Amino acid sequence: MAAPEHKIYIDEDVGKDDSSATGAEAAPYKTVLYAMLQHAPTTEGIQYLTRKSVTGPIENDNEASRLEWKPPSASGMKKLLKSYEGAKKKAAKADELAIREKAELEKRQAVLEEAKKVVIKEDESLPKPVRIRLDVTDPATVKLRAPESSEPGTRVRVLGRVHRLRSQKDVIFLTLADGYGFLQCVLMGDLVKTYDAMTLTLETTIAIHGEMRAVPPKQHAPDDRELHADFFTIIGKAPGDKETITNRVSSNAEPQTLFDNRHLVLRGETSSAVMKVRAATLRAFRKTFEETKMLEVTPPSMVQTQVEGGSTLFSFDYYGEPAYLTQSSQLYLETCLASLGDVFCICPSFRAEKSLTRRHLSEYTHIEAELDFITFNDLLDHLEIVISKVIDLLLADPQIAQFIKTLNPDFKAPSRPFKRMRYTDAIEWLREHEILNEEGRPHEFGDDIAEAAERRMTDIINEPIFLTHFPAEIKAFYMKKDVSDLRVTESVDVLMPGVGEIVGGSCRIDDYDELLAAYKREGMDPSPYYWYTDQRKYGTSPHGGYGLGLERFLAWICGRYTVRECCLYPRFTGRCTP
């Protein structure tokens, strides 16, 4: 007796391959393969019936045929059976893997439950540990046990976060970090059998006690030393699995993801090295300025005047009056010269430029200086001395020099004197090398040389450049004109390979009437600037100064692609978090 027919319906248009479908005519599947996986083709009497569509207008008899339920063709069924067998094997493997993973999970859970019973206690007979930071390598403070020696090393207590982790059967190697240095630690014996050791994760904070030893020959570790632990305690456990830090900030993550998680990115060796070079650079600038008898001042960040043009001002309401975040502290520095002598400041500046280039920030650290009774050549000489001295100080510090070498292996201190090139010579150079302006035409006198062209020129020349004597029309109102060519100003941009401009400076207009004429030329109301103009009224003097962008300076030294990597939490167009 023949088995009864078991019809399974598949509609490629309105069918569904999920639990809402049953294979009945009123609840068809969407694909034959899914139907096969629910109702095996080996079932006696099984019959698969398909149709293309039940939607859309029917124009003729041929189109009406799409409403008919039909079995797949013989060749089509052959392909479907092959796909079914493959899918069945894949499902079987997945089931087998799930069973194995479940068994392994259960086994691990059992091991972890046993590990909870392992309790470690500090051996009171051992010497009391000496608390050290991880950068301490002084033999007078920490003695290392030499390989094969019976002479014990110093027993220490260290605290930090697990930066790297490698577990083996009977030993755990971890690298501890505390912001000052790194230390390889070795856990063995009962220490690795504890629940805390078996569930150790990256960035977990931990206290470890143990003996300091020299690393055996042909093995490597930070500072060629390691801590052989005899006791440890967990201070703060970090998450693992999907929430582990390497999943939050993986090396191939999207830039915006990395910026959203900047607080975690900063824990990486590269970012922390850049921040340490940044701190050293600030120290070096302050030391250099101090040695040249320049006084540090702290001008206001909230102002009611502009320096570099109104289009880049961040405005806000100041008790009912319009005010702005400062673009530059220059004007205030100039007012200090008469009573304080040469001055400098290291303060944030703010530019509301909707620019997403790799060298622009909306908030950046501005190193600015003003010098009294100088000529333009004096200003250039001063800049060359300051930049060179800062580089010398950085490279004289072994740790900072190593950071720079790691970050930018090709960096070398620039040789002096720096190349000096007038704007007119730069225009000719760009024309000779067929580097076009932003309009796609050869550069002409009066063009504001665009960032791309300027950087390309600097990279080709491949040495620091003092680019000088820009046309007055493209420079700020306060810049002094060159008496030998009144078309141009006594101005300078310092250009560095790979970055472009890092410094902008000039001699300032020191004549009262000339400054008033400059206000008028720029269409500026001089009344809010009365305090600035008074400097030319009450004992004027020839003076000049400059502003240096710290992040651009760091991008040059550290070989960073963008200045966004050179500040703690970058602020740029569309980014003001975290």
Side-chain angles (χ1 to χ4, degrees):
M1 180 177 177
E5 287 187 346
H6 184 194
K7 296 180 178 179
I8 303 298
Y9 294 89
I10 300 99
D11 189 306
E12 296 178 10
D13 182 32
V14 298
K16 294 184 178 179
D17 286 348
D18 58 30
S19 59
S20 66
T22 63
E25 186 172 2
Y29 297 115
K30 188 174 184 66
T31 64
V32 178
L33 180 59
Y34 187 83
M36 285 180 166
L37 291 171
Q38 312 309 310
H39 309 275
T42 55
T43 305
E44 194 173 358
I46 196 79
Q47 185 179 12
Y48 304 104
L49 298 173
T50 69
R51 67 182 179 186
K52 295 290 184 184
S53 177
V54 296
T55 61
I58 298 173
E59 303 291 343
N60 51 51
D61 292 341
N62 287 334
E63 289 196 6
S65 68
R66 74 173 186 241
L67 299 178
E68 299 175 14
W69 296 102
K70 298 177 183 179
S73 66
S75 61
M77 195 64 187
K78 187 176 180 181
K79 291 180 180 178
L80 285 165
L81 285 170
K82 188 175 182 181
S83 297
Y84 167 72
E85 291 299 327
K88 196 166 65 167
K89 288 179 181 178
K90 187 176 180 181
K93 282 185 178 179
D95 290 341
E96 182 184 344
L97 180 62
I99 292 170
R100 190 161 62 246
E101 287 179 344
K102 183 181 178 183
E104 289 175 355
L105 180 61
E106 290 173 350
K107 182 180 178 181
R108 176 161 175 78
Q109 289 298 335
V111 171
L112 290 177
E113 286 302 315
E114 285 298 310
K116 290 178 180 178
K117 300 175 185 178
V118 179
V119 178
I120 57 171
K121 293 184 178 180
E122 187 169 13
D123 187 344
E124 297 294 337
S125 68
L126 294 172
K128 185 177 180 180
V130 178
R131 165 76 191 279
I132 65 165
R133 290 192 327 199
L134 301 186
D135 60 335
V136 175
T137 58
D138 182 5
T141 305
V142 178
K143 179 184 176 183
L144 304 182
R145 177 192 284 237
E148 311 301 330
S149 172
S150 60
E151 186 72 21
T154 305
R155 186 167 184 259
V156 300
R157 169 180 168 86
V158 294
L159 300 100
R161 291 170 178 81
V162 178
H163 186 65
R164 284 191 287 274
L165 180 63
R166 179 164 54 93
S167 298
Q168 297 179 357
K169 183 178 180 182
D170 299 315
V171 62
I172 293 175
F173 293 94
L174 63 90
T175 300
L176 209 60
D178 68 351
Y180 298 97
F182 297 95
L183 177 64
Q184 179 168 288
C185 304
V186 184
L187 277 58
M188 294 185 290
D190 285 345
L191 297 183
V192 303
K193 298 175 184 177
T194 64
Y195 180 82
D196 283 338
M198 289 185 175
T199 58
L200 200 57
T201 52
L202 294 176
E203 294 304 315
T204 289
T205 44
I206 187 172
I208 305 178
H209 299 182
E211 181 188 32
M212 293 293 288
R213 299 185 184 180
V215 173
K218 298 184 180 179
Q219 295 188 21
H220 301 283
D223 298 315
D224 293 322
R225 59 185 185 152
E226 58 188 10
L227 174 66
H228 283 246
D230 57 56
F231 180 72
F232 76 90
T233 54
I234 299 296
I235 298 170
K237 203 169 191 65
D241 299 324
K242 292 182 180 179
E243 277 294 296
T244 189
I245 190 169
T246 50
N247 287 334
R248 291 283 299 276
V249 290
S250 61
S251 57
N252 58 353
E254 290 293 322
Q256 294 306 319
T257 299
L258 295 177
F259 287 129
D260 287 339
N261 291 282
R262 181 70 176 164
H263 58 295
L264 299 179
V265 171
L266 287 168
R267 298 188 180 205
E269 290 181 41
T270 297
S271 293
S272 62
V274 172
M275 291 302 104
K276 289 174 181 178
V277 175
R278 178 188 172 102
T281 302
L282 288 170
R283 290 196 301 271
F285 269 107
R286 284 192 164 96
K287 183 174 183 179
T288 300
F289 288 141
E290 183 180 352
E291 288 179 356
T292 52
K293 295 191 175 180
M294 298 178 68
L295 188 71
E296 183 169 10
V297 294
T298 50
S301 291
M302 297 186 292
V303 300
Q304 290 186 303
T305 52
Q306 67 186 48
V307 180
E308 300 293 342
S311 64
T312 65
L313 286 166
F314 282 108
S315 60
F316 64 96
D317 181 273
Y318 188 72
Y319 303 109
E321 294 184 346
Y324 314 98
L325 295 177
T326 185
Q327 304 162 312
S328 166
S329 297
Q330 175 205 316
L331 305 190
Y332 293 97
L333 293 182
E334 289 187 54
T335 68
C336 299
L337 294 176
S339 59
L340 303 177
D342 297 344
V343 291
F344 75 96
C345 70
I346 301 178
C347 297
S349 282
F350 306 86
R351 299 283 173 91
E353 294 176 273
K354 292 185 178 180
S355 176
L356 288 171
T357 75
R358 57 192 177 101
R359 68 176 194 175
H360 279 89
L361 291 166
S362 297
E363 176 186 8
Y364 64 98
T365 300
H366 211 172
I367 300 176
E368 298 183 86
E370 288 294 320
L371 300 98
D372 205 7
F373 297 108
I374 62 166
T375 65
F376 186 54
N377 281 330
D378 292 336
L379 177 62
L380 299 184
D381 291 342
H382 165 87
L383 274 168
E384 187 173 302
I385 291 168
V386 167
I387 291 170
S388 298
K389 177 66 174 178
V390 167
I391 297 298
D392 289 345
L393 288 171
L394 292 175
L395 297 181
D397 182 322
Q399 185 186 50
I400 300 303
Q402 184 57 52
F403 285 143
I404 293 172
K405 184 177 180 181
T406 301
L407 293 165
N408 188 5
D410 296 328
F411 180 78
K412 292 182 177 62
S415 58
R416 298 173 59 186
F418 292 176
K419 183 180 182 65
R420 300 188 182 189
M421 175 186 283
R422 294 177 72 98
Y423 167 88
T424 50
D425 296 327
I427 292 294
E428 188 60 34
W429 190 97
L430 292 168
R431 292 175 66 89
E432 289 175 359
H433 289 77
E434 298 180 348
I435 297 174
L436 304 179
N437 64 17
E438 288 187 301
E439 285 74 41
R441 296 193 299 270
H443 281 83
E444 300 284 349
F445 183 89
D447 285 348
D448 192 353
I449 301 173
E451 174 193 347
E454 179 185 82
R455 194 168 62 240
R456 190 174 171 195
M457 178 182 72
T458 310
D459 290 350
I460 291 173
I461 294 174
N462 197 31
E463 61 178 299
I465 302 171
F466 282 171
L467 188 57
T468 67
H469 297 90
F470 290 85
E473 290 74 15
I474 62 173
K475 283 298 182 180
F477 74 93
Y478 52 75
M479 292 191 179
K480 187 174 184 178
K481 290 183 179 179
D482 183 349
V483 292
S484 65
D485 184 353
L486 295 178
R487 300 177 306 159
V488 301
T489 54
E490 290 186 333
S491 53
V492 59
D493 284 356
V494 181
L495 313 179
M496 291 297 180
V499 180
E501 179 194 347
I502 65 167
V503 178
S506 75
C507 282
R508 319 307 192 188
I509 293 174
D510 54 71
D511 181 79
Y512 181 85
D513 293 330
E514 188 180 345
L515 182 57
L516 291 179
Y519 290 139
K520 185 175 182 180
R521 184 185 71 240
E522 297 295 327
M524 297 169 60
D525 178 6
S527 56
Y529 294 88
Y530 71 93
W531 51 275
Y532 180 69
T533 311
D534 273 354
Q535 304 306 309
R536 283 77 180 162
K537 186 176 180 181
Y538 292 90
T540 190
S541 62
H543 63 283
Y546 56 90
L548 179 146
L550 176 63
E551 289 78 12
R552 291 188 185 182
F553 189 84
L554 289 168
W556 167 53
I557 295 172
C558 298
R560 299 299 90 192
Y561 176 74
T562 170
V563 293
R564 297 173 187 176
E565 298 179 56
C566 300
C567 52
L568 201 64
Y569 287 92
R571 298 292 184 251
F572 52 91
T573 305
R575 168 68 60 177
C576 198
T577 57

